[in-house]
Structure formats: structure tokens, C-alpha cells
Amino acid sequence: MNRTGAWLARYALEQIGVRLTFGIPGVHNTELYDELNESATITPILVTHEGCGAFAADAVSRVGDGALGTLALVPAAGLTHAASGIGEAMLAGVPLLVLTGGVRRDTGRRYQLHDIDQLAIAGALTKAAYRVTRQQDVVPTIFAAVACALSGEPGPVLVELPLDVLFFPGPVTSLPVWTPPPPAPAAAAAAIDAAAQRLAAARRPGIFVGWGARDAAAAVAAIAERLQAPVATTLQGLSSFAHGHRLHAGFGFGRAAVPAARNAFAGCDCLLAVGTRFAEIATGSYGIDVPAALIHVDIDPAVFNANYPAAVAIAGDAREVMPRLARALEALPRAADAPAAGMRAAQIAADKRAYRQSWLAHDVAGRVNPARFFEVLSQVTAADAVVAVDDGNHTYLAAELFTLPPGARLIVPTDFNAMGYAVPAAMGAKLAQPGREVLAIVGDGAFLMTGMEIVTAATLGLGIVYYIFCDGELAQIAQAQRMPYRSAPCTNLGRMDLAAFAAAVGAHALHIDSNAAVADTVAQARALAADHRPVIVAVAIDYSRPTAFTSGVIRTNFGRFPLRQKARILARMLGRALTR
């Protein structure tokens, strides 16, 4: 039979179970978009910018219960526009399928429109990149790419489909049927037994979980309760352990962590780390003390011993490893001198109350106290909500002050750290999970990057609430600048009328300019969003107090400088303080 590459690509996507694609059609992929438009199961979504499409597809993969975020891009500029979202997925371990058009290979012409080596561009951004040159290879190549995206540590893959392959029919002998890749091999029993022995013998064990532990929360909780061990999470792993659990200590556990986590992990003599690579943000710029008895569980063996040596390394999927480890621990007695049950939980609770009260006492006239805002949000957000958080000062306020409801999922840019994530990611999450409450928390600087994507949300009738923390500057970097420089150059933002913006893009507009207005306005926003229309809420946030993360990272990095450089920075700080 003869089939066009576009027909075959549609067949492959339907086989895989793709429900949504994101992108913008162009002359090199119009045939593909025509086929997608004919599909009974796939909906192509037009975005305002391919970068937003990539962030939206990332969210589909993160919250779509097995759905695969997919991009349908024009070649060259479409790919480079999407690069930030693809890079975010690469460093976050999120699977994506990136389909691009490509220049014709049958004309003999050079310097065609969009003629650039996309596979070279994709080299550092994807797990693998493929170029299809024959129609009969379209389906097998897409299947192989998706298997790569889903196997081991997940990540994005790219398939280039040149225009001549997409547009012209070619011979195809068969249509393969999609078979998902097999699960990761079971972890070695000896390693699990060794880990259980070390944990059972520890007097002050601790547990550190990342994104890779998100589907093993029940087993992690069982282990924590068995050991009476505090649990800290990475930024990306904020929803990998229930915030309401009495052993939940907070985000991070080192010098950049909140007091509850710092105190709970003080003297930790055995650390169980699950689904984390000990990257810079997760460790507060490597400001953590990791004991020699480190048990490291990860699906990617390459992460072991990269930053901290592991006494026991367990290569495997946390969904398979953690229940086995929990069962192994049940058969072993706890250390004889381990603290009694409830002692650590009581200290964690007391430290959390004290930290929250210190924030509640930090009211500033005319601004909204972050703790009061997040206190309300924690109380009313649905138990299965999806919360998209952007990159900026608000990120760490949310990490430290927002009590995520049980069953909710928080998604956030981390190691690639791209601003502009939350607005389009919230849209992707709502499309993937239309029955769940979806909200975004985004700083005004990040909002300026991708806020126009609310046009798409309004067009599609998506009831999403966007809480925009407004202070008129790039607050996270400005705080980091003021300590050593006594100034914050290039951080002041231009004036923005969010009410006018909301009217222009078809959204409701609300504002919160005082603590007293928080509860009523949040309730109003949620009610308006239930009517299938996006809501923009401008929050006059108070950023005058730095988070524990920000101040901790600054201290940690400054402490590593050579003495001569410390003296230079301190002299500059003193000189500017006296002259400005």
C-alpha cells in the first residue's frame, strides 16, 4: 500500500495514545496538521508561541496519567522557539515527543527555507533525535523514539519528518502495532537488603525524595513511619510526599532549608535518597551535609556518586524498589537507641508553627503577606488540584509556605530553570485533566514572558486561575544582587495594567491589595474559573523578607569564596553602603 508520511505519523500517534499536540502549522507540516484534524482521538492545539507549546506538552506528560506530551512543529524556528521547554523536560526527566517538519530531500537544492541541521540542535536537548527519509520508516521510527522517551529516566525525543516524506505517498508493507516498552529491571535483592540493614541500624535516619519518588509515596510513608524518619523533598518533588504527614519536614534539609527540615535532619546518620540527583537547587547550592551512610535509589545509574558518594546504590524504579524496601524493613528491629515514636514529629510540628508565625508577624502596610495568602490557598485548594509554579521568588515562597493538599500535584521548572513555565503549563495541565482544579502561581516578570498564552486558554474555555505576584521587579535576582552590590540593576519591570490585559485576552481580572482581601478574592476567582473562563488575579505581594532558601543559598555560596574574594565583596558592600 502507498501512504503519505503524514498519514503514517497520525496512525503512529493514535497507536501510542496521544490525545493532544501543541504547535503552529507552517508550509513544512500542513499535511501533518490536515491529518491530525481528521483524527477522531487527537486534538491539535494552536499556541501563540512554540515555547509555550513545549511547556504545555511538558505539563501533559507530568499530570496526564500516562499521556505523552507531543509537539508538532515547523522546522528551524519552531524548534528553537520550543527549545526552552524541551530543555526543561530533558533536565527534569519528563518524556516528550517532538515532531518537526523538515526541508525536502528530493530536489537537489541548497539553502531552502528552514534549512538547518535540526538533529544537531537537538543533540543536547533530547535523549535521541531521528530523521526519517522513507515513508515505510515513519511508524517504526516514531515507535522507537517513544520507547526511548519512556525507558530508563524519561526525557524528550525528536523525530524530523521532511516535507517530501510527509506530503508524498510511498510504499509501506505493514503497519506495526504499538507495544509499550518493558518496565525497568527489578533492583538487586542484595542492595535492598543492605539498605534495609543500614536504615534499621541508624539512630537518626532521614529520607529525601524527588520527582522520581512521586508514584511511590505510600511506600515512602510506610518506611518513614517504621523508622520515625523525617522526610524532606526536592523542589520538583514537592508533591512526592504528603505535606500534611506528621513526618513531612519541608523543602530541602540543608542550610537553605526551613527550620523544621534543618533541625529534623541535624545529626542524620543514614540518608535514604529516592528519585533525586542531588542537583544545585535541591541541595541549596550543595549546602547539605550528607552522611557516609547514603542509600541512593534512582532509575538512572549515572546519578550515583556524581555529587555525594553512596554507600548503597539501588538502580531501579522507585515504584518497584520502595515497596520491597518497606517489606524488608518490617522484618528487622529498629535501633535500640532510636528516639521514641512521635518525638521527631512533635519537633517538626513545633518548628513549622514557629516559622509560620514569624511570617504572619511580618505584615507590611499596603502589601499582601505571602504567609497569609498561602494559608488561604492551602485551605481551599481542591485535594486533586494541579498547581503550576513558575521560576522566581514566588517559587520558594510556595515551597516554604504552601501546604499542598493531599493528592494534589505541583509542577515547577527546576534544573533548566526556565522562566515563563507556569502560564502555558497550567493550560496543558487543564487540557490533560479537565475535571481537576488548575491554578498557576507566577511572578510578574515570568508572566511577561508567556502571559499571552492566556489567549489560548480563553479560546478553549479553560477555567484556570493565574495568581500573579506583582512587585514590579525580578525579585529573586534583585534580592541576590542587593546583598553583595547594594543595588539591583536591570531588575525593574515596565508598567503593566493587568486589568486591561485581561480584558484584551478574554479573561476575568481581580486584584488582592491587602491581607483582608485574600480570602474573598480567592473564593471569587475560583467561582469565576468554574464558569470555564481564565481568571487573572494580581496580588500585591510583599517580598521584603527573603525566604530561607534565598538567604541560605547566598550564605552558602559566599562562605565558599576564597578569603581574598570575601574581603573584596565586603569592602564593596561597605563602600556602597556609605556612599549611597
Side-chain angles (χ1 to χ4, degrees):
M1 56 184 165
N2 286 334
R3 297 292 188 194
T4 66
W7 188 95
L8 293 163
R10 168 187 147 187
Y11 168 83
L13 296 184
E14 290 174 340
Q15 281 280 305
I16 294 160
V18 170
R19 295 188 290 110
L20 300 161
T21 67
F22 299 88
I24 299 175
V27 295
H28 288 76
N29 65 0
T30 51
E31 190 77 7
L32 175 61
Y33 269 86
D34 186 68
E35 287 290 349
L36 294 175
N37 190 54
E38 294 298 312
S39 175
T41 56
I42 302 171
T43 302
I45 303 296
L46 172 66
V47 294
T48 64
H49 190 282
E50 288 93 343
C52 294
F55 291 139
D58 168 290
V60 169
S61 288
R62 294 198 200 206
V63 307
D65 294 335
L68 179 64
T70 302
L71 295 173
L73 305 177
V74 294
L79 175 60
T80 55
H81 283 175
S84 289
I86 298 169
E88 190 68 59
M90 182 65 181
L91 293 191
V94 174
L96 287 185
L97 174 60
V98 182
L99 297 180
T100 75
V103 300
R104 289 181 63 174
R105 303 283 160 175
D106 61 333
T107 66
R109 301 291 186 182
R110 297 179 63 192
Y111 311 119
Q112 298 181 59
L113 179 68
H114 300 321
D115 195 351
I116 196 166
D117 188 346
Q118 296 190 108
L119 271 59
I121 294 172
L125 296 171
T126 62
K127 290 182 69 177
Y130 308 79
R131 178 178 292 123
V132 180
T133 58
R134 304 182 303 173
Q135 285 82 353
Q136 66 190 48
D137 295 329
V138 170
V139 176
T141 301
I142 291 176
F143 283 0
V146 173
C148 176
L150 299 176
S151 299
E153 182 180 17
V157 293
L158 179 139
V159 179
E160 180 186 291
L161 300 168
L163 177 57
D164 50 294
V165 174
L166 283 173
F167 195 75
F168 299 130
V172 179
T173 57
S174 64
L175 293 175
V177 175
W178 166 247
T179 302
I192 291 177
D193 290 340
Q197 293 285 347
R198 284 182 177 267
L199 286 166
R203 185 177 184 279
R204 292 188 64 86
I207 302 174
F208 188 42
V209 296
W211 175 253
R214 66 195 180 279
D215 294 322
V220 171
I223 292 171
E225 290 160 6
R226 173 68 177 170
L227 299 172
Q228 289 299 295
V231 181
T233 77
T234 67
L235 183 64
Q236 196 184 355
L238 280 168
S239 52
S240 292
F241 191 76
H243 290 203
H245 193 286
R246 62 197 187 98
L247 290 168
H248 174 267
F251 158 52
F253 63 87
R255 289 179 283 280
V258 293
R262 288 201 310 270
N263 295 336
F265 279 78
C268 175
D269 58 356
C270 184
L271 180 67
L272 172 61
V274 187
T276 174
R277 296 178 294 196
F278 289 104
E280 184 168 4
I281 289 178
T283 59
S285 283
Y286 315 105
I288 59 175
D289 295 319
V290 177
L294 168 62
I295 299 160
H296 198 171
V297 180
D298 203 278
I299 201 167
D300 181 10
V303 308
F304 299 141
N305 307 306
N307 287 324
Y308 301 97
V312 180
I314 304 177
D317 190 325
R319 290 175 294 184
E320 186 265 340
V321 172
M322 299 311 288
R324 290 173 60 193
L325 181 57
R327 290 192 294 271
L329 277 168
E330 284 295 325
L332 298 173
R334 289 184 61 208
D337 58 348
M343 288 180 60
R344 289 178 182 168
Q347 184 62 54
I348 288 170
D351 287 339
K352 284 186 174 182
R353 282 194 302 270
Y355 190 63
R356 185 171 63 252
Q357 286 302 318
S358 72
W359 275 90
L360 292 173
H362 190 76
D363 285 337
V364 173
R367 307 300 293 181
V368 176
N369 186 321
R372 298 188 188 280
F373 172 82
F374 281 112
E375 191 169 57
V376 169
L377 205 63
S378 300
Q379 293 168 355
V380 302
T381 299
D384 64 346
V386 179
V387 182
V389 180
D390 218 288
D391 173 50
N393 201 29
H394 61 281
T395 313
Y396 304 103
L397 287 171
E400 294 180 10
L401 300 173
F402 185 32
T403 301
L404 198 66
R409 179 60 57 88
L410 188 146
I411 55 177
V412 58
T414 47
D415 294 347
F416 198 84
N417 220 211
M419 290 175 66
Y421 175 85
V423 169
M427 180 186 74
K430 189 65 175 178
L431 287 167
Q433 297 285 356
R436 296 170 70 172
E437 179 180 11
V438 176
L439 59 133
I441 300 168
V442 55
D444 44 7
F447 180 79
L448 284 171
M449 293 186 172
T450 56
M452 193 57 70
E453 204 59 49
I454 295 178
V455 169
T456 309
T459 301
L460 297 173
L462 304 180
I464 302 166
V465 181
Y466 301 92
Y467 295 102
I468 304 173
F469 283 14
C470 299
D471 73 323
E473 70 175 5
L474 302 174
Q476 181 71 9
I477 191 62
Q479 287 185 356
Q481 287 174 315
R482 288 192 179 102
M483 180 177 172
Y485 304 122
R486 291 297 186 260
S487 64
C490 284
T491 57
N492 288 332
L493 302 174
R495 181 182 175 276
M496 178 169 49
D497 186 337
L498 284 174
F501 178 88
V505 299
H508 295 287
L510 302 172
H511 68 277
I512 303 175
D513 55 10
S514 69
N515 293 326
V518 173
D520 288 346
T521 309
V522 167
Q524 185 182 0
R526 296 178 75 230
L528 289 170
D531 195 31
H532 307 290
R533 186 175 170 191
V535 183
I536 293 173
V537 183
V539 183
I541 201 72
D542 172 30
Y543 277 147
S544 63
R545 175 178 172 174
T547 61
F549 179 85
T550 298
S551 55
V553 164
I554 291 172
R555 288 195 305 270
T556 296
N557 284 313
F558 182 76
R560 291 201 191 99
F561 290 158
L563 182 59
R564 186 172 181 175
Q565 295 306 319
K566 289 180 182 177
R568 180 181 67 85
I569 292 170
L570 290 171
R572 180 174 61 190
M573 290 171 60
L574 179 61
R576 290 184 175 180
L578 294 174
T579 58
R580 293 186 179 182

